[in-house]
Amino acid sequence: MSTVPLLSVQNAKISFADKLIFRDLELHIYPYDRICLVGKNGAGKSTLFKTIMGLIELDEGEFFHKPGLQVAYLPQDITMPEGITALEYVEAELRKFTPPEFGPVTHRAEKSLDYVSMPYDLKMDEASGGEKRRVGLAAALAQEVDILLLDEPTNHLDVAMIQQLEQDVKSFKGAIVVVSHDRTFLQNVSSKTWWLNRKTISEMRKGYSHFEEWQEQVVADEMKQLEKLDTKLAQETRWLHRGVTARRKRNQGRLNRLKEMRTTRATVISSVQNVHFESAELKRLSGKLVIEAEDIEMKFGERRLIRPFSTKILRGDRVGVFGPNGSGKSTLIRMLIGDLKPTRGRVRIGTQLNVGYFEQQHHNLDPTKTLWETLCPNGGDHLMVQGKYKHVVAYLKDFLFDPDQAKSYVATLSGGERNRLALARILARETNLLVMDEPTNDLDMDTLDLLIDLLSDYQGTLLLISHDRDFIDKLVTSTINIDANGEVNEYAGGYSDFMHQKSNTPVPTKPAPKAAPKKEPTSPKSASNTARKFGFKEKFRLKELNELIPQFESQLARLSQQIQDPDLAMGDYQKFMRLTQEYETLKNTLAAAEEEWLELEELQNDAS
């Protein structure tokens, strides 16, 4: 790697009016860097991109870049001039960085559009979001620039296109800085990580796959430095540390439960594929059965979009669907839930189903209504959320909206905000079958984490169309893959399991010759009856935990120091074993306390 950076920012301060955006900002971009930029919504990612592009002047500090530096930018929301074609747009973008003496850019523009399979004459003001994204990518990746900035480049792309994009990013001749909610994409392309936190940047010279462990270590180091200071900053650091560690433990617990559910699902898939609906048990229609499909297919004229496919979905199953754009994923889902009659085969739907459908394009959001009216169409200031009442402003805050946005019109929202509002509305309804078509498009990482939390706790059956591989891995019990020829196959597990099974690589799973008895999921109503409220008892317990957790941490640190004494094990082995046992017991106690603390914090936020 070159020791001379393309661009450097040192000791920088950036503020707008009286609002401080960055302090002590330091960053360096070297040739061939592959940097992922991570940070909360509003942390300053857009401001940082504008700083790199030279569009913002520093209040303090130094800004250096190599002479003639060229920086290109692919924004999250691409604005296209009216009446322009795809070819004209890409040509115009290429001319920005191509000197006139190099001649026409038409051939490069055509080649890049061929690469993303987009027609030259496509009118950009008539293009869909996915089509605009692909044309924008064609223009960005064809650039011969020093630094390329990519903001959510995987939005509206299918898995095949995302995997191709990963190869393009790896082979790009310049440096790349990317913002994305697609964790698998970031893990596959990044070799350096920037974390925007508390108005500055922390840098890790490793890719995103190491981020969570590194993030926890950074916060733990800050805790050690601040543990003797009784300041607001120390309290904020302590809160962040507990949140990071507790969430990681809770997510790991969910993944362990998901593995057990996948083992059971594997047995059901095997029975469908091998028994082929011969047993009387499979033919019986009951409340436990949600969907039963036998040899369904869909043809449009002579074209066979969906080839014969069979499946059986039980209450509580979580089924992911993925495949190339235009392969018929939405068509398959509509057949399974009874919205579309198959050309051949049969579908039987279970009893007492209450279906919620999250549409990809959100055509049912009225742009003339406010966010408040959208969530409370019959008036009032409360709505029923999975069986319990919640104030509309508090619920909007759960989905990262500012309170003053409650009276804003839907027409004023960005694509990502519309997505969040549509999610808020569908997840408030009392359903037992939830169908979600590309829910992660235009979402930031914070909203994606929130969505994973909500769907992980969902008590009903989930049908999910998504190109986000990490999202599928964390949520589903089985995946249905549709290829470009209309072949449909179901695999136990998530996307990673699908890849293992497709390549005939054995996946270490617990053998399940018999279907494990399935625990009846709690209905939304019964769950709400046992939901905890944040009252005096919970408030007292939260205060108690705020005092206990630092004591546990201090005791653990002291025990760790004693155990690491090399003379202890040799001189007093019984004491060494006793202290080791105390350490393990206290470690488990701390983990449970952190988990309880996180739940109470979230409960308090819900109540406020």
Side-chain angles (χ1 to χ4, degrees):
M1 185 181 75
S2 172
T3 57
V4 180
L6 297 170
L7 179 145
S8 288
V9 177
Q10 292 182 316
N11 302 319
K13 174 185 175 184
I14 300 175
S15 57
F16 295 144
D18 295 330
K19 184 179 180 182
L20 178 65
I21 308 298
F22 289 119
R23 55 171 173 77
D24 301 326
L25 182 65
E26 182 169 341
L27 61 89
H28 308 280
I29 301 177
Y30 292 88
Y32 313 113
D33 265 350
R34 298 293 181 266
I35 303 168
C36 68
L37 177 60
V38 183
K40 287 187 175 181
N41 223 18
K45 294 188 288 288
S46 298
T47 301
L48 189 66
F49 272 2
K50 290 177 182 177
T51 303
I52 293 171
M53 295 166 68
L55 301 177
I56 292 179
E57 290 188 11
L58 307 181
D59 296 327
E60 296 176 5
E62 299 177 359
F63 182 90
F64 160 81
H65 64 81
K66 80 162 195 175
L69 181 77
Q70 292 184 327
V71 182
Y73 173 46
L74 176 70
Q76 184 174 350
D77 297 313
I78 303 175
T79 303
M80 306 283 190
E82 290 187 9
I84 196 171
T85 66
L87 181 60
E88 290 167 342
Y89 174 79
V90 176
E91 286 179 324
E93 290 297 300
L94 292 180
R95 287 194 195 99
K96 292 179 181 179
F97 300 102
T98 305
E101 60 267 24
F102 280 79
V105 296
T106 302
H107 178 67
R108 279 170 58 201
E110 290 176 345
K111 187 177 179 181
S112 63
L113 285 170
D114 289 340
Y115 183 67
V116 295
S117 303
M118 296 304 297
Y120 306 156
D121 58 353
L122 174 68
K123 297 287 185 184
M124 297 315 299
D125 50 1
E126 299 174 1
S128 67
E131 290 170 333
K132 288 181 179 179
R133 172 65 43 175
R134 290 165 72 180
V135 171
L137 276 172
L141 293 170
Q143 306 282 10
E144 295 181 358
V145 294
D146 301 293
I147 301 174
L148 179 59
L149 308 176
L150 300 175
D151 192 351
E152 295 292 354
T154 65
N155 275 358
H156 305 286
L157 300 184
D158 59 36
V159 172
M161 276 294 302
I162 293 171
Q163 290 174 329
Q164 184 58 60
L165 177 60
E166 290 173 356
Q167 299 305 314
D168 295 335
V169 167
K170 291 175 183 177
S171 61
F172 187 74
K173 294 180 180 179
I176 288 182
V177 184
V178 60
V179 172
S180 178
H181 69 268
D182 188 326
R183 287 176 166 89
T184 304
F185 175 76
L186 292 180
Q187 289 168 3
N188 289 342
V189 303
S190 62
S191 57
K192 184 185 290 185
T193 305
W194 286 350
W195 178 27
L196 284 181
N197 179 39
R198 296 211 189 94
K199 307 185 187 306
T200 191
I201 281 183
S202 298
E203 180 182 282
M204 174 180 63
R205 295 185 180 180
K206 292 181 181 179
Y208 183 79
S209 58
H210 301 274
F211 173 70
E212 288 190 351
E213 292 178 7
W214 172 67
Q215 179 193 38
E216 188 171 356
Q217 186 59 51
V218 168
V219 178
D221 291 343
E222 288 185 14
M223 282 286 295
K224 289 179 182 178
Q225 295 174 15
L226 295 169
E227 62 185 2
K228 294 183 180 180
L229 300 177
D230 185 19
T231 65
K232 183 179 179 183
L233 183 59
Q235 292 171 354
E236 289 177 355
T237 306
R238 189 176 295 114
W239 186 92
L240 180 60
H241 177 58
R242 292 179 198 164
V244 168
T245 54
R247 284 185 189 279
R248 283 190 67 201
K249 291 167 185 173
R250 184 172 65 181
N251 290 341
Q252 189 58 49
R254 283 175 173 166
L255 286 176
N256 290 334
R257 291 193 296 272
L258 192 58
K259 287 179 183 177
E260 295 175 5
M261 294 169 67
R262 285 172 175 172
T263 301
T264 303
R265 183 66 186 155
T267 306
V268 175
I269 294 171
S270 177
S271 68
V272 170
Q273 293 171 346
N274 298 327
V275 180
H276 199 66
F277 294 93
E278 290 301 320
S279 73
E281 192 277 330
L282 287 177
K283 288 181 178 290
R284 190 179 68 233
L285 195 65
S286 68
K288 189 176 180 180
L289 179 67
V290 176
I291 296 168
E292 188 176 72
E294 182 177 6
D295 290 331
I296 59 171
E297 68 174 353
M298 176 57 67
K299 295 176 72 174
F300 292 105
E302 294 300 315
R303 184 193 174 203
R304 183 182 284 177
L305 183 64
I306 302 293
R307 294 180 180 273
F309 171 67
S310 300
T311 190
K312 179 190 178 192
I313 299 173
L314 303 179
R315 187 192 305 127
D317 283 338
R318 301 160 178 272
V319 181
V321 182
F322 71 96
N325 285 334
S327 61
K329 299 183 293 295
S330 298
T331 300
L332 176 63
I333 288 291
R334 290 181 60 202
M335 285 195 293
L336 290 176
I337 65 174
D339 278 358
L340 187 64
K341 187 176 180 180
T343 309
R344 176 174 168 265
R346 60 176 179 172
V347 176
R348 293 192 290 177
I349 308 296
T351 58
Q352 299 178 339
L353 286 184
N354 189 4
V355 183
Y357 201 128
F358 178 85
E359 297 180 79
Q360 186 174 356
Q361 301 298 333
H362 323 314
H363 295 303
N364 53 356
L365 283 180
D366 188 342
T368 65
K369 293 193 179 295
T370 64
L371 279 67
W372 190 305
E373 292 168 335
T374 300
L375 294 178
C376 299
N378 299 320
D381 56 5
H382 281 73
L383 69 160
M384 184 72 75
V385 180
Q386 296 295 321
K388 62 180 180 179
Y389 280 103
K390 191 157 193 174
H391 194 279
V392 63
V393 175
Y395 189 57
L396 283 168
K397 284 173 65 179
D398 286 345
F399 286 83
L400 310 180
F401 287 103
D402 292 329
D404 55 7
Q405 285 184 280
K407 296 297 179 70
S408 300
Y409 289 99
V410 172
T412 66
L413 300 179
S414 67
E417 289 172 327
R418 288 188 182 215
N419 212 5
R420 277 191 268 144
L421 180 61
L423 286 169
R425 187 172 67 170
I426 194 69
L427 291 171
R429 295 174 181 169
E430 192 167 336
T431 63
N432 51 27
L433 174 58
L434 189 57
V435 181
M436 310 206 80
D437 191 348
E438 292 291 357
T440 66
N441 280 341
D442 301 309
L443 291 186
D444 55 69
M445 200 81 82
D446 291 339
T447 312
L448 188 57
D449 285 340
L450 170 69
L451 181 58
I452 290 173
D453 278 351
L454 292 169
L455 293 181
S456 295
D457 295 336
Y458 181 65
Q459 297 295 322
T461 305
L462 178 66
L463 298 182
L464 172 68
I465 298 176
S466 180
H467 298 303
D468 189 320
R469 292 156 291 177
D470 180 77
F471 187 67
I472 289 176
D473 273 344
K474 287 179 177 176
L475 285 173
V476 305
T477 55
S478 68
T479 50
I480 295 175
N481 173 241
I482 309 177
D483 66 20
N485 298 317
E487 291 286 349
V488 187
N489 290 287
E490 185 171 6
Y491 302 82
Y495 180 83
S496 299
D497 302 287
F498 155 74
M499 291 300 294
H500 281 296
Q501 293 173 65
K502 188 178 179 183
S503 61
N504 295 319
T505 303
V507 185
T509 56
K510 193 176 179 180
K514 295 182 180 179
K518 219 172 175 187
K519 189 176 179 180
E520 291 293 320
T522 309
S523 68
K525 269 188 181 178
S526 61
S528 68
N529 292 336
T530 58
R532 295 175 66 185
K533 295 182 179 179
F534 192 79
F536 174 79
K537 183 179 177 181
E538 286 73 22
K539 186 176 181 180
F540 177 82
R541 179 57 178 166
L542 183 60
K543 182 181 178 182
E544 186 178 39
L545 286 170
N546 278 321
E547 296 172 353
L548 284 174
I549 289 176
Q551 294 175 21
F552 292 155
E553 291 170 338
S554 178
Q555 292 172 34
L556 270 177
R558 189 167 59 252
L559 284 170
S560 176
Q561 196 171 24
Q562 289 179 273
I563 292 169
Q564 291 174 19
D565 183 354
D567 297 329
L568 179 63
M570 298 296 295
D572 191 342
Y573 182 74
Q574 287 186 343
K575 182 179 180 182
F576 171 79
M577 292 301 297
R578 178 173 55 80
L579 291 177
T580 302
Q581 183 61 45
E582 286 181 21
Y583 180 86
E584 289 301 320
T585 302
L586 188 57
K587 187 178 178 181
N588 293 332
T589 303
L590 175 60
E594 287 176 332
E595 178 74 16
E596 184 183 4
W597 174 89
L598 181 62
E599 291 177 358
L600 289 171
E601 277 285 336
E602 291 174 344
L603 201 64
Q604 184 181 39
N605 290 335
D606 288 343
S608 61

